[in-house]
Amino acid sequence: MTTIPVKWASRDPQLSDALNNAPIPSGRYWLKSNCGSGGNIPVELPADREKLEWLEMKAGKWLNFEHGVKSGEWWYSLIGKQVFLETDMTPTGGSALTDWKFFTGRGRVLAVQVDLDRSTQHRQLMFDRNFNFLPHEMFFPTGAPIDPPDMFETMRSVAEAIAQPFEFARVDLYETDNRLYLGEITLAPMGGVRLPRSAQLDEMMGAAWVSPFFEGLC
């Protein structure tokens, strides 16, 4: 497993000339930020001046926004803000990448969220740790169940290994062309302020999260 290759990174939002002058091959990439949520834009390079100036405006907003203040996610203040250009990992001959999100409590997978076709007909499927389909909704509409990928058990093991230092974490992975990539580690999905649509799913995941952390809280 590895992270998705980064072709360029900067702490300076003035990226128009930088991207034009950087030795980056032509092709499709993703411009992202490490200091918030929703900071990702597809980019085709080379790009014209108008597109680059628009990207520069977006990058400036990302770098100037203090993410996590309202939701109490103080750890974002410890991250050195930057924007970066990431390789497009779309599978060969395929559609958008499938997001595999492993919810873990005390280093053990509680549930698996699978996001399909996010840019077209977004479906968000939920499974238990053994990939049994759960007909419940997390934050977006569900859909028909899918078969597990050949690497599912490896993905689950990797997610649990990454999650060991954390009381709770959502570990996001991508699997494409028989390779596994780490997307991100999220300590408070949706800022910890949004409940799942399904109360039953919420209760199931809570019951599976066994920890001394909860002793004396109820």
Side-chain angles (χ1 to χ4, degrees):
M1 190 198 71
T2 185
T3 55
I4 297 175
V6 173
K7 294 297 184 181
W8 173 89
S10 176
R11 300 183 187 279
D12 186 347
Q14 307 300 315
L15 55 75
S16 297
D17 292 333
L19 284 181
N20 265 338
N21 297 327
I24 304 172
S26 299
R28 180 179 169 88
Y29 301 90
W30 287 86
L31 182 68
K32 297 186 175 182
S33 76
N34 69 338
C35 50
S37 176
N40 55 85
I41 299 174
V43 179
E44 287 282 350
L45 293 180
D48 59 33
R49 173 60 60 176
E50 183 179 356
K51 177 70 171 183
L52 289 173
E53 289 178 350
W54 181 78
L55 292 172
E56 188 172 289
M57 178 272 294
K58 298 293 287 187
K61 287 186 175 181
W62 294 343
L63 292 174
N64 288 323
F65 182 67
E66 296 298 332
H67 184 77
V69 174
K70 290 184 178 180
S71 58
E73 296 173 275
W74 54 266
W75 49 90
Y76 277 98
S77 66
L78 306 179
I79 298 174
K81 295 180 180 180
Q82 66 176 348
V83 292
F84 54 96
L85 202 66
E86 204 172 69
T87 303
D88 180 23
M89 302 304 296
T90 302
T92 304
S95 56
L97 275 178
T98 297
D99 287 336
W100 296 87
K101 302 179 183 294
F102 292 80
F103 291 82
T104 68
R106 210 160 181 82
R108 184 176 187 274
V109 168
L110 311 174
V112 184
Q113 173 184 317
V114 183
D115 286 82
L116 303 168
D117 301 321
R118 297 189 69 148
S119 60
T120 52
Q121 297 179 330
H122 187 189
R123 291 160 290 149
Q124 194 173 78
L125 313 182
M126 297 300 302
F127 300 84
D128 68 11
R129 62 173 283 104
N130 296 315
F131 215 75
N132 296 305
F133 179 64
L134 303 172
H136 308 299
E137 294 185 349
M138 178 62 82
F139 302 121
F140 295 93
T142 186
I146 61 172
D147 293 328
D150 292 339
M151 295 181 67
F152 175 73
E153 290 190 4
T154 299
M155 295 165 73
R156 185 178 63 189
S157 296
V158 166
E160 292 187 333
I162 291 172
Q164 288 304 309
F166 307 105
E167 181 64 45
F168 173 87
R170 193 193 72 201
V171 180
D172 297 0
L173 303 176
Y174 297 109
E175 185 272 327
T176 178
D177 292 335
N178 295 315
R179 296 197 65 182
L180 194 58
Y181 297 88
L182 173 64
E184 65 176 279
I185 303 169
T186 302
L187 302 184
M190 294 293 184
V193 297
R194 183 173 174 183
L195 291 173
R197 289 183 175 184
S198 166
Q200 186 174 349
L201 177 64
D202 191 21
E203 293 171 2
M204 183 212 77
M205 292 173 64
W209 181 5
V210 180
S211 169
F213 178 80
F214 301 112
E215 292 179 2
L217 295 181
C218 300

